[in-house]
Amino acid sequence: MNLEKSIELAHEDNTAFKEIYDLSINRVYSYILFRIKDKGEALDVCQNIYFSLWKSLPRFKYISENHFYAFLFKVARRQLIKTREKSIDKGKELAEIAENIVVKVPM
């Protein structure tokens, strides 16, 4: 099955979506891992990317393979930004918690 046909069938046929995944995961994972540097977190981000892709495929109009990959990497960039924003928010929360910790030093 080719990429165009897989995209058309992806919502009704899990095998078709798996084919899209198999064709693209190495590129996506490498892109994310290069930016995050943590294998576990990169896998989590990839999972979110493919979930977002699955949700958005019904609105996607296939023009070419290059067009599909541009779309996929746009989804990946957006997910990467969301991940970084959550990371920043988590860092701010931890800083606030650290500021509120009172250390009692025995005298």
Side-chain angles (χ1 to χ4, degrees), residues 25 27 51 97 101:
I25 186 60
R27 292 181 194 182
F51 181 66
I97 291 170
I101 294 176

mmCIF file of all heavy atoms in Angstrom, residues 25 27 51 97 101:
data_model
loop_
_atom_site.group_PDB
_atom_site.id
_atom_site.type_symbol
_atom_site.label_atom_id
_atom_site.label_comp_id
_atom_site.label_asym_id
_atom_site.label_seq_id
_atom_site.Cartn_x
_atom_site.Cartn_y
_atom_site.Cartn_z
ATOM 1 N N ILE A 25 8.315 6.883 11.475
ATOM 2 C CA ILE A 25 8.757 6.998 12.864
ATOM 3 C C ILE A 25 10.252 7.253 12.998
ATOM 4 O O ILE A 25 10.670 8.028 13.867
ATOM 5 C CB ILE A 25 8.328 5.765 13.714
ATOM 6 C CG1 ILE A 25 8.671 5.985 15.197
ATOM 7 C CG2 ILE A 25 8.958 4.489 13.198
ATOM 8 C CD1 ILE A 25 8.017 7.170 15.843
ATOM 9 N N ARG A 27 12.290 8.981 11.135
ATOM 10 C CA ARG A 27 12.569 10.412 10.894
ATOM 11 C C ARG A 27 12.083 11.270 12.056
ATOM 12 O O ARG A 27 12.788 12.162 12.524
ATOM 13 C CB ARG A 27 11.886 10.884 9.613
ATOM 14 C CG ARG A 27 12.426 10.302 8.353
ATOM 15 C CD ARG A 27 11.690 10.876 7.167
ATOM 16 N NE ARG A 27 11.939 10.109 5.958
ATOM 17 C CZ ARG A 27 11.448 10.424 4.789
ATOM 18 N NH1 ARG A 27 10.670 11.489 4.648
ATOM 19 N NH2 ARG A 27 11.721 9.689 3.736
ATOM 20 N N PHE A 51 -0.622 10.561 17.950
ATOM 21 C CA PHE A 51 -2.018 10.719 18.360
ATOM 22 C C PHE A 51 -2.605 11.970 17.705
ATOM 23 O O PHE A 51 -3.715 11.941 17.167
ATOM 24 C CB PHE A 51 -2.137 10.789 19.889
ATOM 25 C CG PHE A 51 -3.554 10.922 20.361
ATOM 26 C CD1 PHE A 51 -4.464 9.889 20.172
ATOM 27 C CD2 PHE A 51 -3.980 12.085 20.977
ATOM 28 C CE1 PHE A 51 -5.784 10.021 20.606
ATOM 29 C CE2 PHE A 51 -5.285 12.223 21.408
ATOM 30 C CZ PHE A 51 -6.192 11.188 21.217
ATOM 31 N N ILE A 97 7.894 25.960 44.899
ATOM 32 C CA ILE A 97 7.894 25.022 46.029
ATOM 33 C C ILE A 97 9.189 25.160 46.819
ATOM 34 O O ILE A 97 9.179 25.203 48.051
ATOM 35 C CB ILE A 97 7.692 23.571 45.532
ATOM 36 C CG1 ILE A 97 6.274 23.392 45.007
ATOM 37 C CG2 ILE A 97 7.988 22.561 46.640
ATOM 38 C CD1 ILE A 97 6.034 22.092 44.272
ATOM 39 N N ILE A 101 9.905 26.237 50.988
ATOM 40 C CA ILE A 101 10.447 25.263 51.943
ATOM 41 C C ILE A 101 11.275 26.018 52.971
ATOM 42 O O ILE A 101 12.183 26.772 52.654
ATOM 43 C CB ILE A 101 11.315 24.211 51.235
ATOM 44 C CG1 ILE A 101 10.431 23.360 50.319
ATOM 45 C CG2 ILE A 101 12.033 23.339 52.256
ATOM 46 C CD1 ILE A 101 11.192 22.343 49.506
#
